[in-house]
Amino acid sequence: MAAEGGAAALAEAASADQFRDLLQQPGRSLVVVHFWAPWAPQCVQMNSVMAELAKEHLQVAFVKLEAEAVPEVSEKYEITSVPTFLFFKNSQKIDRLDGAHAPELTKKVQRHASSSTIPPGSNDNVKEDLNVRLQKLTNAAPCMLFMKGTPQEPRCGFSRQIVEILNKHNIAYSSFDIFSDEEVRQGLKTYSSWPTYPQLYVAGELIGGLDIVKELEASGELETTCPKAHKIEDRLKDLINKASVMLFMKGNKQMAKCGFSKQILEILNGTGVDYETFDILEDEEVRQGLKKYSNWPTYPQLYVKGELVGGLDIVKELKETGELTSTLKGEN
């Protein structure tokens, strides 16, 4: 399908088989796949960005794949929001970008597409940008674990062991999957002067890897070094009571990042009742903690005066019975 204005073609994968075939295109050193949704305006905008990049990088294959239409592929690559971009070389995923960040997408395409030497002086700027990003990531939570996989699904034995130790001692931590971002995976080793994973940080400072954590556990110092997890309940109570009506969703009022969140926004906006939102994609601790706190495993979640109302299906039922507005006003 050709883009408007004579732009280079964007291939479209409508099935898992087409997706696999597109990853193996001859003569294409890099394949960039945009997981998108037609209902999300930011995705439509990023398709235009992809089309422009395709005109500049003829050796790169640019593919768009409707995330909700090919769920088996989305699930395999843990696509939880749109837009998301995956980068492949030789059918292997080498990098990932979440969100509608045109400058960052352009930068990643240029870096992965080119095997030539970076112009003099540019390398310093790239390193500086990466160091700023790594500093933000290591300070993203009071205790940050950089690991292979997630706490729910560790993807190496060392990561599994460190997760078990932290959980056993009720340590409050957030995590970053280094498999999801090759730039972070390689850059953090230089940034921290620590060549292996997992890596544990407290207040932005490197504590160490699995062996160090084991030593801290054996000496009884782990619980004084790392923050305890009981504070998450207090934080969740504060968040659900931040406004009379609170919606925990993927995205925010201005930009929903999944179809369910988009639908519930449309319903709430139709009531005229004021509400606030919290983007669970921006905080993994809240995202996982609230599911346990509320005993409700999915998002979005709607709260009124600190009490869980439910998700999209419940809100639809309340709308159909005419009870939604009174429920949002706390009259029921």
Side-chain angles (χ1 to χ4, degrees), residues 211-267:
D211 289 342
I212 300 295
V213 170
K214 283 183 174 179
E215 290 175 10
L216 290 171
E217 181 187 33
S219 66
E221 299 175 82
L222 182 63
E223 295 187 10
T224 57
T225 301
C226 301
K228 298 287 283 181
H230 67 270
K231 294 181 180 178
I232 182 62
E233 290 191 0
D234 295 333
R235 186 177 175 214
L236 293 174
K237 286 180 183 177
D238 290 340
L239 282 173
I240 63 178
N241 286 283
K242 183 180 177 182
S244 179
V245 180
M246 275 296 298
L247 177 65
F248 292 82
M249 61 178 287
K250 294 179 179 179
N252 54 46
K253 279 185 179 181
Q254 290 73 37
M255 189 180 294
K257 292 185 177 180
C258 83
F260 299 130
S261 293
K262 181 175 184 289
Q263 290 181 60
I264 203 167
L265 281 182
E266 291 172 349
I267 293 172

Side-chain angles (χ1 to χ4, degrees), residues 37-314:
W39 49 259
Q42 64 270 31
C43 288
V44 177
Q45 178 186 357
M46 293 305 291
N47 276 337
S48 299
V49 174
M50 290 256 289
E52 291 301 313
L53 289 171
K55 291 193 292 186
E56 299 174 21
H57 301 277
L58 299 180
Q59 80 281 20
V60 179
F62 291 89
V63 177
K64 61 179 183 177
L65 184 152
E66 190 175 336
E68 293 170 346
V70 194
E72 61 269 37
V73 176
S74 298
E75 290 172 9
K76 178 180 178 180
Y77 292 102
E78 299 179 346
I79 306 300
T80 59
S81 63
V82 291
T84 294
F85 300 87
L86 297 186
F87 299 76
F88 293 86
K89 280 189 177 179
N90 300 318
S91 298
Q92 298 297 314
K93 188 186 76 168
I94 59 168
D95 206 349
R96 177 182 181 122
L97 175 65
D98 292 278
H101 307 296
E104 186 68 17
L105 176 64
T106 302
K107 187 187 302 182
K108 284 181 178 287
V109 169
Q110 290 172 342
R111 184 171 69 250
H112 292 304
S114 174
S115 57
S116 59
T117 305
I118 297 175
S122 297
N123 196 38
D124 293 337
N125 294 331
V126 171
K127 285 183 178 178
E128 182 180 355
D129 290 344
L130 178 57
N131 284 339
V132 169
R133 186 179 173 213
L134 293 174
Q135 184 180 25
K136 289 181 179 179
L137 281 173
T138 55
N139 285 277
C143 185
M144 277 294 297
L145 176 64
F146 292 82
M147 62 180 289
K148 294 179 179 179
T150 64
Q152 293 74 35
E153 294 184 13
R155 294 172 66 183
C156 82
F158 298 129
S159 292
R160 179 175 291 105
Q161 289 181 62
I162 201 168
V163 164
E164 288 173 352
I165 292 171
L166 296 177
N167 290 342
K168 182 172 74 174
H169 291 272
N170 203 30
I171 302 300
Y173 66 97
S174 291
S175 67
F176 185 94
D177 180 2
I178 57 155
F179 282 146
S180 71
D181 194 312
E182 188 65 19
E183 184 179 55
V184 171
R185 180 181 183 179
Q186 300 303 329
L188 192 61
K189 292 190 283 189
T190 303
Y191 177 86
S192 63
S193 297
W194 194 272
T196 58
Y197 291 97
Q199 294 183 17
L200 185 69
Y201 291 76
V202 172
E205 297 294 326
L206 176 67
I207 300 300
L210 176 60
D211 289 342
I212 300 295
V213 170
K214 283 183 174 179
E215 290 175 10
L216 290 171
E217 181 187 33
S219 66
E221 299 175 82
L222 182 63
E223 295 187 10
T224 57
T225 301
C226 301
K228 298 287 283 181
H230 67 270
K231 294 181 180 178
I232 182 62
E233 290 191 0
D234 295 333
R235 186 177 175 214
L236 293 174
K237 286 180 183 177
D238 290 340
L239 282 173
I240 63 178
N241 286 283
K242 183 180 177 182
S244 179
V245 180
M246 275 296 298
L247 177 65
F248 292 82
M249 61 178 287
K250 294 179 179 179
N252 54 46
K253 279 185 179 181
Q254 290 73 37
M255 189 180 294
K257 292 185 177 180
C258 83
F260 299 130
S261 293
K262 181 175 184 289
Q263 290 181 60
I264 203 167
L265 281 182
E266 291 172 349
I267 293 172
L268 292 179
N269 288 340
T271 67
V273 176
D274 290 334
Y275 64 96
E276 297 293 331
T277 63
F278 184 93
D279 184 358
I280 53 125
L281 297 177
E282 296 292 327
D283 194 313
E284 188 66 17
E285 183 180 54
V286 171
R287 181 180 184 175
Q288 300 303 331
L290 191 60
K291 290 191 286 189
K292 296 177 182 177
Y293 181 87
S294 64
N295 197 28
W296 193 273
T298 58
Y299 290 99
Q301 293 184 19
L302 182 68
Y303 291 77
V304 173
K305 295 184 177 180
E307 296 293 328
L308 175 67
V309 174
L312 176 60
D313 288 342
I314 301 294

